[in-house]
PDB file of all heavy atoms in Angstrom:
ATOM      1  N   THR A1108      -0.425 -16.890   1.125  1.00 97.00           N
ATOM      2  CA  THR A1108       0.486 -17.458   2.123  1.00 97.00           C
ATOM      3  C   THR A1108       1.448 -18.446   1.473  1.00 97.00           C
ATOM      4  O   THR A1108       2.660 -18.428   1.771  1.00 97.00           O
ATOM      5  CB  THR A1108      -0.320 -18.148   3.242  1.00 97.00           C
ATOM      6  OG1 THR A1108      -1.193 -17.194   3.848  1.00 97.00           O
ATOM      7  CG2 THR A1108       0.613 -18.715   4.307  1.00 97.00           C
ATOM      8  N   ILE A1109       0.947 -19.307   0.600  1.00 98.00           N
ATOM      9  CA  ILE A1109       1.811 -20.266  -0.089  1.00 98.00           C
ATOM     10  C   ILE A1109       2.819 -19.549  -0.964  1.00 98.00           C
ATOM     11  O   ILE A1109       4.016 -19.905  -0.985  1.00 98.00           O
ATOM     12  CB  ILE A1109       0.955 -21.246  -0.947  1.00 98.00           C
ATOM     13  CG1 ILE A1109       0.068 -22.112  -0.049  1.00 98.00           C
ATOM     14  CG2 ILE A1109       1.866 -22.104  -1.827  1.00 98.00           C
ATOM     15  CD1 ILE A1109       0.812 -23.030   0.901  1.00 98.00           C
ATOM     16  N   ALA A1110       2.399 -18.500  -1.652  1.00 98.00           N
ATOM     17  CA  ALA A1110       3.316 -17.775  -2.538  1.00 98.00           C
ATOM     18  C   ALA A1110       4.444 -17.122  -1.776  1.00 98.00           C
ATOM     19  O   ALA A1110       5.631 -17.244  -2.158  1.00 98.00           O
ATOM     20  CB  ALA A1110       2.530 -16.715  -3.325  1.00 98.00           C
ATOM     21  N   VAL A1111       4.125 -16.408  -0.680  1.00 98.00           N
ATOM     22  CA  VAL A1111       5.146 -15.653   0.038  1.00 98.00           C
ATOM     23  C   VAL A1111       6.039 -16.570   0.895  1.00 98.00           C
ATOM     24  O   VAL A1111       7.248 -16.347   1.002  1.00 98.00           O
ATOM     25  CB  VAL A1111       4.476 -14.587   0.941  1.00 98.00           C
ATOM     26  CG1 VAL A1111       5.542 -13.862   1.785  1.00 98.00           C
ATOM     27  CG2 VAL A1111       3.702 -13.593   0.093  1.00 98.00           C
ATOM     28  N   THR A1112       5.455 -17.593   1.460  1.00 97.00           N
ATOM     29  CA  THR A1112       6.188 -18.415   2.447  1.00 97.00           C
ATOM     30  C   THR A1112       6.802 -19.669   1.844  1.00 97.00           C
ATOM     31  O   THR A1112       7.821 -20.162   2.345  1.00 97.00           O
ATOM     32  CB  THR A1112       5.214 -18.799   3.602  1.00 97.00           C
ATOM     33  OG1 THR A1112       4.622 -17.600   4.116  1.00 97.00           O
ATOM     34  CG2 THR A1112       5.935 -19.511   4.715  1.00 97.00           C
ATOM     35  N   GLN A1113       6.224 -20.193   0.777  1.00 98.00           N
ATOM     36  CA  GLN A1113       6.740 -21.427   0.176  1.00 98.00           C
ATOM     37  C   GLN A1113       7.339 -21.223  -1.222  1.00 98.00           C
ATOM     38  O   GLN A1113       8.501 -21.550  -1.464  1.00 98.00           O
ATOM     39  CB  GLN A1113       5.602 -22.465   0.066  1.00 98.00           C
ATOM     40  CG  GLN A1113       5.971 -23.725  -0.699  1.00 98.00           C
ATOM     41  CD  GLN A1113       4.775 -24.648  -0.863  1.00 98.00           C
ATOM     42  OE1 GLN A1113       3.859 -24.665  -0.053  1.00 98.00           O
ATOM     43  NE2 GLN A1113       4.762 -25.430  -1.952  1.00 98.00           N
ATOM     44  N   THR A1114       6.529 -20.688  -2.142  1.00 98.00           N
ATOM     45  CA  THR A1114       7.006 -20.533  -3.517  1.00 98.00           C
ATOM     46  C   THR A1114       8.222 -19.636  -3.594  1.00 98.00           C
ATOM     47  O   THR A1114       9.119 -19.854  -4.426  1.00 98.00           O
ATOM     48  CB  THR A1114       5.885 -19.964  -4.396  1.00 98.00           C
ATOM     49  OG1 THR A1114       4.731 -20.798  -4.273  1.00 98.00           O
ATOM     50  CG2 THR A1114       6.323 -19.924  -5.861  1.00 98.00           C
ATOM     51  N   SER A1115       8.329 -18.662  -2.691  1.00 98.00           N
ATOM     52  CA  SER A1115       9.480 -17.756  -2.656  1.00 98.00           C
ATOM     53  C   SER A1115      10.795 -18.507  -2.476  1.00 98.00           C
ATOM     54  O   SER A1115      11.825 -18.127  -3.040  1.00 98.00           O
ATOM     55  CB  SER A1115       9.319 -16.742  -1.528  1.00 98.00           C
ATOM     56  OG  SER A1115       9.285 -17.383  -0.265  1.00 98.00           O
ATOM     57  N   VAL A1116      10.745 -19.588  -1.696  1.00 98.00           N
ATOM     58  CA  VAL A1116      11.968 -20.362  -1.434  1.00 98.00           C
ATOM     59  C   VAL A1116      12.396 -21.085  -2.706  1.00 98.00           C
ATOM     60  O   VAL A1116      13.592 -21.119  -3.054  1.00 98.00           O
ATOM     61  CB  VAL A1116      11.720 -21.368  -0.294  1.00 98.00           C
ATOM     62  CG1 VAL A1116      12.935 -22.249  -0.064  1.00 98.00           C
ATOM     63  CG2 VAL A1116      11.358 -20.605   0.981  1.00 98.00           C
ATOM     64  N   PHE A1117      11.443 -21.658  -3.425  1.00 98.00           N
ATOM     65  CA  PHE A1117      11.723 -22.286  -4.712  1.00 98.00           C
ATOM     66  C   PHE A1117      12.318 -21.275  -5.695  1.00 98.00           C
ATOM     67  O   PHE A1117      13.347 -21.540  -6.345  1.00 98.00           O
ATOM     68  CB  PHE A1117      10.438 -22.902  -5.276  1.00 98.00           C
ATOM     69  CG  PHE A1117      10.429 -23.063  -6.753  1.00 98.00           C
ATOM     70  CD1 PHE A1117      11.210 -24.058  -7.369  1.00 98.00           C
ATOM     71  CD2 PHE A1117       9.664 -22.237  -7.568  1.00 98.00           C
ATOM     72  CE1 PHE A1117      11.197 -24.209  -8.765  1.00 98.00           C
ATOM     73  CE2 PHE A1117       9.629 -22.396  -8.946  1.00 98.00           C
ATOM     74  CZ  PHE A1117      10.417 -23.372  -9.545  1.00 98.00           C
ATOM     75  N   LEU A1118      11.671 -20.112  -5.790  1.00 98.00           N
ATOM     76  CA  LEU A1118      12.142 -19.105  -6.735  1.00 98.00           C
ATOM     77  C   LEU A1118      13.537 -18.587  -6.366  1.00 98.00           C
ATOM     78  O   LEU A1118      14.384 -18.380  -7.265  1.00 98.00           O
ATOM     79  CB  LEU A1118      11.175 -17.918  -6.765  1.00 98.00           C
ATOM     80  CG  LEU A1118       9.787 -18.187  -7.387  1.00 98.00           C
ATOM     81  CD1 LEU A1118       8.886 -16.976  -7.233  1.00 98.00           C
ATOM     82  CD2 LEU A1118       9.902 -18.596  -8.847  1.00 98.00           C
ATOM     83  N   GLY A1119      13.786 -18.435  -5.095  1.00 98.00           N
ATOM     84  CA  GLY A1119      15.104 -17.938  -4.649  1.00 98.00           C
ATOM     85  C   GLY A1119      16.205 -18.926  -4.981  1.00 98.00           C
ATOM     86  O   GLY A1119      17.273 -18.558  -5.517  1.00 98.00           O
ATOM     87  N   MET A1120      15.995 -20.202  -4.688  1.00 98.00           N
ATOM     88  CA  MET A1120      17.038 -21.186  -4.979  1.00 98.00           C
ATOM     89  C   MET A1120      17.243 -21.342  -6.471  1.00 98.00           C
ATOM     90  O   MET A1120      18.380 -21.528  -6.937  1.00 98.00           O
ATOM     91  CB  MET A1120      16.683 -22.527  -4.328  1.00 98.00           C
ATOM     92  CG  MET A1120      16.819 -22.493  -2.808  1.00 98.00           C
ATOM     93  SD  MET A1120      16.838 -24.142  -2.030  1.00 98.00           S
ATOM     94  CE  MET A1120      15.173 -24.691  -2.413  1.00 98.00           C
ATOM     95  N   LYS A1121      16.168 -21.291  -7.233  1.00 98.00           N
ATOM     96  CA  LYS A1121      16.288 -21.397  -8.694  1.00 98.00           C
ATOM     97  C   LYS A1121      17.083 -20.231  -9.260  1.00 98.00           C
ATOM     98  O   LYS A1121      18.010 -20.405 -10.067  1.00 98.00           O
ATOM     99  CB  LYS A1121      14.914 -21.477  -9.316  1.00 98.00           C
ATOM    100  CG  LYS A1121      14.946 -21.625 -10.845  1.00 98.00           C
ATOM    101  CD  LYS A1121      13.534 -21.726 -11.415  1.00 98.00           C
ATOM    102  CE  LYS A1121      13.594 -21.870 -12.950  1.00 98.00           C
ATOM    103  NZ  LYS A1121      12.225 -21.891 -13.549  1.00 98.00           N
ATOM    104  N   ALA A1122      16.729 -18.998  -8.838  1.00 98.00           N
ATOM    105  CA  ALA A1122      17.404 -17.825  -9.344  1.00 98.00           C
ATOM    106  C   ALA A1122      18.873 -17.764  -8.948  1.00 98.00           C
ATOM    107  O   ALA A1122      19.725 -17.311  -9.734  1.00 98.00           O
ATOM    108  CB  ALA A1122      16.685 -16.568  -8.844  1.00 98.00           C
ATOM    109  N   ALA A1123      19.180 -18.249  -7.748  1.00 98.00           N
ATOM    110  CA  ALA A1123      20.545 -18.145  -7.234  1.00 98.00           C
ATOM    111  C   ALA A1123      21.417 -19.347  -7.586  1.00 98.00           C
ATOM    112  O   ALA A1123      22.623 -19.328  -7.316  1.00 98.00           O
ATOM    113  CB  ALA A1123      20.512 -17.997  -5.708  1.00 98.00           C
ATOM    114  N   SER A1124      20.843 -20.372  -8.192  1.00 98.00           N
ATOM    115  CA  SER A1124      21.560 -21.608  -8.406  1.00 98.00           C
ATOM    116  C   SER A1124      22.916 -21.457  -9.088  1.00 98.00           C
ATOM    117  O   SER A1124      23.928 -21.944  -8.590  1.00 98.00           O
ATOM    118  CB  SER A1124      20.674 -22.583  -9.213  1.00 98.00           C
ATOM    119  OG  SER A1124      21.402 -23.748  -9.549  1.00 98.00           O
ATOM    120  N   ALA A1125      22.929 -20.778 -10.211  1.00 98.00           N
ATOM    121  CA  ALA A1125      24.187 -20.668 -10.964  1.00 98.00           C
ATOM    122  C   ALA A1125      25.257 -19.942 -10.163  1.00 98.00           C
ATOM    123  O   ALA A1125      26.423 -20.343 -10.112  1.00 98.00           O
ATOM    124  CB  ALA A1125      23.952 -19.950 -12.294  1.00 98.00           C
ATOM    125  N   ALA A1126      24.858 -18.853  -9.510  1.00 98.00           N
ATOM    126  CA  ALA A1126      25.831 -18.080  -8.721  1.00 98.00           C
ATOM    127  C   ALA A1126      26.332 -18.865  -7.516  1.00 98.00           C
ATOM    128  O   ALA A1126      27.528 -18.824  -7.193  1.00 98.00           O
ATOM    129  CB  ALA A1126      25.196 -16.760  -8.260  1.00 98.00           C
ATOM    130  N   LEU A1127      25.449 -19.604  -6.873  1.00 98.00           N
ATOM    131  CA  LEU A1127      25.862 -20.403  -5.729  1.00 98.00           C
ATOM    132  C   LEU A1127      26.800 -21.524  -6.141  1.00 98.00           C
ATOM    133  O   LEU A1127      27.761 -21.835  -5.437  1.00 98.00           O
ATOM    134  CB  LEU A1127      24.618 -20.987  -5.019  1.00 98.00           C
ATOM    135  CG  LEU A1127      23.721 -19.988  -4.297  1.00 98.00           C
ATOM    136  CD1 LEU A1127      22.438 -20.672  -3.846  1.00 98.00           C
ATOM    137  CD2 LEU A1127      24.448 -19.372  -3.087  1.00 98.00           C
ATOM    138  N   HIS A1128      26.528 -22.136  -7.291  1.00 98.00           N
ATOM    139  CA  HIS A1128      27.409 -23.181  -7.779  1.00 98.00           C
ATOM    140  C   HIS A1128      28.778 -22.640  -8.213  1.00 98.00           C
ATOM    141  O   HIS A1128      29.786 -23.369  -8.193  1.00 98.00           O
ATOM    142  CB  HIS A1128      26.755 -23.930  -8.944  1.00 98.00           C
ATOM    143  CG  HIS A1128      25.776 -24.965  -8.497  1.00 98.00           C
ATOM    144  ND1 HIS A1128      24.480 -24.655  -8.099  1.00 98.00           N
ATOM    145  CD2 HIS A1128      25.886 -26.319  -8.379  1.00 98.00           C
ATOM    146  CE1 HIS A1128      23.860 -25.765  -7.757  1.00 98.00           C
ATOM    147  NE2 HIS A1128      24.681 -26.780  -7.908  1.00 98.00           N
ATOM    148  N   ALA A1129      28.830 -21.379  -8.588  1.00 98.00           N
ATOM    149  CA  ALA A1129      30.097 -20.762  -8.958  1.00 98.00           C
ATOM    150  C   ALA A1129      30.962 -20.453  -7.756  1.00 98.00           C
ATOM    151  O   ALA A1129      32.173 -20.234  -7.865  1.00 98.00           O
ATOM    152  CB  ALA A1129      29.856 -19.501  -9.757  1.00 98.00           C
ATOM    153  N   SER A1130      30.336 -20.424  -6.557  1.00 98.00           N
ATOM    154  CA  SER A1130      31.045 -20.175  -5.332  1.00 98.00           C
ATOM    155  C   SER A1130      31.688 -21.468  -4.836  1.00 98.00           C
ATOM    156  O   SER A1130      31.110 -22.541  -4.966  1.00 98.00           O
ATOM    157  CB  SER A1130      30.100 -19.634  -4.242  1.00 98.00           C
ATOM    158  OG  SER A1130      30.698 -19.637  -2.979  1.00 98.00           O
ATOM    159  N   ALA A1131      32.837 -21.344  -4.218  1.00 95.00           N
ATOM    160  CA  ALA A1131      33.497 -22.528  -3.680  1.00 95.00           C
ATOM    161  C   ALA A1131      32.803 -23.007  -2.397  1.00 95.00           C
ATOM    162  O   ALA A1131      32.988 -24.164  -1.960  1.00 95.00           O
ATOM    163  CB  ALA A1131      34.969 -22.246  -3.367  1.00 95.00           C
ATOM    164  N   THR A1132      32.012 -22.123  -1.790  1.00 96.00           N
ATOM    165  CA  THR A1132      31.349 -22.467  -0.531  1.00 96.00           C
ATOM    166  C   THR A1132      29.867 -22.091  -0.545  1.00 96.00           C
ATOM    167  O   THR A1132      29.323 -21.621   0.454  1.00 96.00           O
ATOM    168  CB  THR A1132      32.062 -21.778   0.644  1.00 96.00           C
ATOM    169  OG1 THR A1132      32.063 -20.360   0.413  1.00 96.00           O
ATOM    170  CG2 THR A1132      33.479 -22.284   0.808  1.00 96.00           C
ATOM    171  N   GLY A1133      29.219 -22.262  -1.690  1.00 98.00           N
ATOM    172  CA  GLY A1133      27.822 -21.856  -1.795  1.00 98.00           C
ATOM    173  C   GLY A1133      26.928 -22.628  -0.837  1.00 98.00           C
ATOM    174  O   GLY A1133      27.059 -23.845  -0.696  1.00 98.00           O
ATOM    175  N   ASN A1134      26.045 -21.920  -0.195  1.00 97.00           N
ATOM    176  CA  ASN A1134      25.071 -22.613   0.661  1.00 97.00           C
ATOM    177  C   ASN A1134      23.826 -21.793   0.901  1.00 97.00           C
ATOM    178  O   ASN A1134      23.799 -20.571   0.731  1.00 97.00           O
ATOM    179  CB  ASN A1134      25.718 -23.056   2.003  1.00 97.00           C
ATOM    180  CG  ASN A1134      25.923 -21.933   2.975  1.00 97.00           C
ATOM    181  OD1 ASN A1134      25.020 -21.629   3.732  1.00 97.00           O
ATOM    182  ND2 ASN A1134      27.071 -21.298   2.946  1.00 97.00           N
ATOM    183  N   VAL A1135      22.777 -22.506   1.255  1.00 98.00           N
ATOM    184  CA  VAL A1135      21.444 -21.938   1.435  1.00 98.00           C
ATOM    185  C   VAL A1135      20.923 -22.304   2.807  1.00 98.00           C
ATOM    186  O   VAL A1135      21.090 -23.448   3.277  1.00 98.00           O
ATOM    187  CB  VAL A1135      20.451 -22.491   0.389  1.00 98.00           C
ATOM    188  CG1 VAL A1135      19.051 -21.879   0.602  1.00 98.00           C
ATOM    189  CG2 VAL A1135      20.953 -22.221  -1.024  1.00 98.00           C
ATOM    190  N   VAL A1136      20.307 -21.335   3.490  1.00 98.00           N
ATOM    191  CA  VAL A1136      19.599 -21.626   4.735  1.00 98.00           C
ATOM    192  C   VAL A1136      18.153 -21.175   4.526  1.00 98.00           C
ATOM    193  O   VAL A1136      17.883 -19.997   4.279  1.00 98.00           O
ATOM    194  CB  VAL A1136      20.220 -20.886   5.943  1.00 98.00           C
ATOM    195  CG1 VAL A1136      19.453 -21.256   7.210  1.00 98.00           C
ATOM    196  CG2 VAL A1136      21.687 -21.234   6.086  1.00 98.00           C
ATOM    197  N   ASN A1137      17.241 -22.121   4.610  1.00 98.00           N
ATOM    198  CA  ASN A1137      15.816 -21.844   4.446  1.00 98.00           C
ATOM    199  C   ASN A1137      15.140 -21.807   5.807  1.00 98.00           C
ATOM    200  O   ASN A1137      15.337 -22.709   6.640  1.00 98.00           O
ATOM    201  CB  ASN A1137      15.136 -22.909   3.583  1.00 98.00           C
ATOM    202  CG  ASN A1137      15.649 -22.890   2.166  1.00 98.00           C
ATOM    203  OD1 ASN A1137      15.945 -21.840   1.612  1.00 98.00           O
ATOM    204  ND2 ASN A1137      15.743 -24.074   1.530  1.00 98.00           N
ATOM    205  N   ILE A1138      14.358 -20.758   6.056  1.00 98.00           N
ATOM    206  CA  ILE A1138      13.694 -20.642   7.345  1.00 98.00           C
ATOM    207  C   ILE A1138      12.304 -21.246   7.263  1.00 98.00           C
ATOM    208  O   ILE A1138      11.405 -20.714   6.602  1.00 98.00           O
ATOM    209  CB  ILE A1138      13.629 -19.172   7.804  1.00 98.00           C
ATOM    210  CG1 ILE A1138      14.997 -18.516   7.713  1.00 98.00           C
ATOM    211  CG2 ILE A1138      13.076 -19.108   9.227  1.00 98.00           C
ATOM    212  CD1 ILE A1138      16.128 -19.281   8.393  1.00 98.00           C
ATOM    213  N   SER A1139      12.141 -22.381   7.933  1.00 98.00           N
ATOM    214  CA  SER A1139      10.852 -23.041   8.045  1.00 98.00           C
ATOM    215  C   SER A1139      10.247 -22.649   9.406  1.00 98.00           C
ATOM    216  O   SER A1139      10.208 -21.467   9.737  1.00 98.00           O
ATOM    217  CB  SER A1139      11.029 -24.561   7.885  1.00 98.00           C
ATOM    218  OG  SER A1139       9.786 -25.230   8.041  1.00 98.00           O
ATOM    219  N   SER A1140       9.803 -23.593  10.162  1.00 97.00           N
ATOM    220  CA  SER A1140       9.172 -23.354  11.460  1.00 97.00           C
ATOM    221  C   SER A1140       9.082 -24.687  12.190  1.00 97.00           C
ATOM    222  O   SER A1140       9.121 -25.757  11.566  1.00 97.00           O
ATOM    223  CB  SER A1140       7.761 -22.784  11.248  1.00 97.00           C
ATOM    224  OG  SER A1140       7.012 -22.819  12.429  1.00 97.00           O
ATOM    225  N   MET A1141       8.941 -24.609  13.507  1.00 96.00           N
ATOM    226  CA  MET A1141       8.667 -25.861  14.223  1.00 96.00           C
ATOM    227  C   MET A1141       7.352 -26.447  13.707  1.00 96.00           C
ATOM    228  O   MET A1141       7.134 -27.670  13.723  1.00 96.00           O
ATOM    229  CB  MET A1141       8.582 -25.632  15.729  1.00 96.00           C
ATOM    230  CG  MET A1141       7.465 -24.751  16.198  1.00 96.00           C
ATOM    231  SD  MET A1141       7.564 -24.475  17.983  1.00 96.00           S
ATOM    232  CE  MET A1141       6.088 -23.501  18.264  1.00 96.00           C
ATOM    233  N   TYR A1142       6.451 -25.586  13.183  1.00 95.00           N
ATOM    234  CA  TYR A1142       5.216 -26.051  12.598  1.00 95.00           C
ATOM    235  C   TYR A1142       5.407 -26.594  11.180  1.00 95.00           C
ATOM    236  O   TYR A1142       4.438 -26.958  10.528  1.00 95.00           O
ATOM    237  CB  TYR A1142       4.179 -24.938  12.604  1.00 95.00           C
ATOM    238  CG  TYR A1142       3.560 -24.706  13.999  1.00 95.00           C
ATOM    239  CD1 TYR A1142       3.082 -23.467  14.354  1.00 95.00           C
ATOM    240  CD2 TYR A1142       3.472 -25.745  14.910  1.00 95.00           C
ATOM    241  CE1 TYR A1142       2.519 -23.246  15.588  1.00 95.00           C
ATOM    242  CE2 TYR A1142       2.909 -25.536  16.160  1.00 95.00           C
ATOM    243  CZ  TYR A1142       2.425 -24.273  16.495  1.00 95.00           C
ATOM    244  OH  TYR A1142       1.853 -24.064  17.730  1.00 95.00           O
ATOM    245  N   GLY A1143       6.642 -26.666  10.744  1.00 96.00           N
ATOM    246  CA  GLY A1143       6.954 -27.389   9.529  1.00 96.00           C
ATOM    247  C   GLY A1143       7.264 -28.847   9.838  1.00 96.00           C
ATOM    248  O   GLY A1143       7.524 -29.645   8.928  1.00 96.00           O
ATOM    249  N   ILE A1144       7.264 -29.190  11.142  1.00 96.00           N
ATOM    250  CA  ILE A1144       7.600 -30.538  11.588  1.00 96.00           C
ATOM    251  C   ILE A1144       6.441 -31.167  12.378  1.00 96.00           C
ATOM    252  O   ILE A1144       6.146 -32.343  12.217  1.00 96.00           O
ATOM    253  CB  ILE A1144       8.870 -30.505  12.494  1.00 96.00           C
ATOM    254  CG1 ILE A1144      10.060 -29.959  11.691  1.00 96.00           C
ATOM    255  CG2 ILE A1144       9.184 -31.881  13.049  1.00 96.00           C
ATOM    256  CD1 ILE A1144      11.308 -29.776  12.515  1.00 96.00           C
ATOM    257  N   VAL A1145       5.812 -30.351  13.227  1.00 94.00           N
ATOM    258  CA  VAL A1145       4.699 -30.874  14.055  1.00 94.00           C
ATOM    259  C   VAL A1145       3.456 -30.044  13.822  1.00 94.00           C
ATOM    260  O   VAL A1145       3.520 -28.895  13.345  1.00 94.00           O
ATOM    261  CB  VAL A1145       5.065 -30.844  15.554  1.00 94.00           C
ATOM    262  CG1 VAL A1145       6.264 -31.720  15.847  1.00 94.00           C
ATOM    263  CG2 VAL A1145       5.314 -29.406  16.022  1.00 94.00           C
TER     264      VAL A1145
END
């Protein structure tokens, strides 16, 4: 569960970092949950 739901987000941002920074409007939307807050 941690690998698919959490570590994947870290890996995705790391892998995409250079390409996103090369974009003039690079951005990321991460899908958490209301259970990420309460």
Side-chain angles (χ1 to χ4, degrees):
T1108 302
I1109 295 297
V1111 176
T1112 307
Q1113 173 185 332
T1114 306
S1115 64
V1116 177
F1117 156 72
L1118 292 175
M1120 290 195 294
K1121 182 179 179 182
S1124 175
L1127 291 171
H1128 279 80
S1130 168
T1132 56
N1134 76 88
V1135 179
V1136 182
N1137 294 325
I1138 309 308
S1139 179
S1140 166
M1141 64 183 184
Y1142 284 152
I1144 299 175
V1145 298

